[in-house]
Amino acid sequence: MKIIVHDLRQESWQELGMRFHEKDIVVGDGQDCAGSDIGKAIGSCRQLVLISRCVYGGFSPFIQEVLERCRTYFEPFLELRHGQSHYVVKKQNKNSFGLVCCFYGDYITPEEEQLARIQSVSDGISLQARGVKIVFYDTLDKLRQLNSIVV
């Protein structure tokens, strides 16, 4: 099962033509999602895909909100991992899923790209993902290449 969280408008999302399996979960902007449900699903998924407009070198407000809601799945305590402070995960899901962070935007500067990479890797460590893949697209048309990356 994979979880796809995106901030695309409905028309843009449908134009992508993403391939899905029966148990895949898609959370889009404007849809109501319960954070604890997403947090539990992350523990059992094999791939978490975040599709976000690059906003000042980070995720869009909607994607950030979904990640914040997932924090209910974490303990209120922090631990030191890889020299950084990260939330303790209630259920051990280490190495059970891969994180794919897809950023899009017309004019992503090298500084914004570097900040987005740092945030993506940090979120991957916090969620205890087995690996993080980060891709950037300058147009929504090129975002269709995502089908070859998302398994």
Side-chain angles (χ1 to χ4, degrees), residues 6-55:
H6 69 88
D7 63 358
L8 297 168
R9 290 181 302 172
Q10 191 63 26
E11 311 87 52
S12 300
W13 172 249
Q14 290 174 349
E15 288 176 11
L16 285 183
M18 296 288 292
R19 294 181 298 266
F20 301 109
H21 293 85
E22 187 176 320
K23 294 183 179 182
D24 291 347
I25 299 171
V26 177
V27 178
D29 198 0
Q31 294 176 328
D32 187 34
C33 65
S36 60
D37 293 341
I38 295 287
K40 289 177 185 175
I42 286 173
S44 62
C45 74
R46 65 179 166 78
Q47 191 172 50
L48 173 62
V49 181
L50 303 175
I51 303 172
S52 174
R53 180 174 40 91
C54 189
V55 179

Side-chain angles (χ1 to χ4, degrees), residues 74-139:
F74 298 99
E75 295 283 349
F77 305 108
L78 296 171
E79 67 181 358
L80 194 63
R81 275 187 262 143
H82 304 286
Q84 300 174 340
S85 296
H86 296 280
Y87 286 98
V88 176
V89 179
K90 289 180 184 176
K91 180 183 174 191
Q92 290 298 322
N93 63 348
K94 186 174 182 179
N95 297 332
S96 63
F97 71 95
L99 177 63
V100 179
C101 299
C102 304
F103 293 96
Y104 65 90
D106 292 337
Y107 302 104
I108 301 174
T109 66
E111 293 82 15
E112 288 176 332
E113 185 174 325
Q114 183 180 10
L115 288 171
R117 288 182 187 282
I118 291 169
Q119 181 179 1
S120 298
V121 169
S122 178
D123 287 337
I125 292 170
S126 287
L127 296 172
Q128 295 185 343
R130 74 172 175 263
V132 180
K133 182 168 183 72
I134 306 162
V135 292
F136 293 88
Y137 298 104
D138 56 357
T139 64

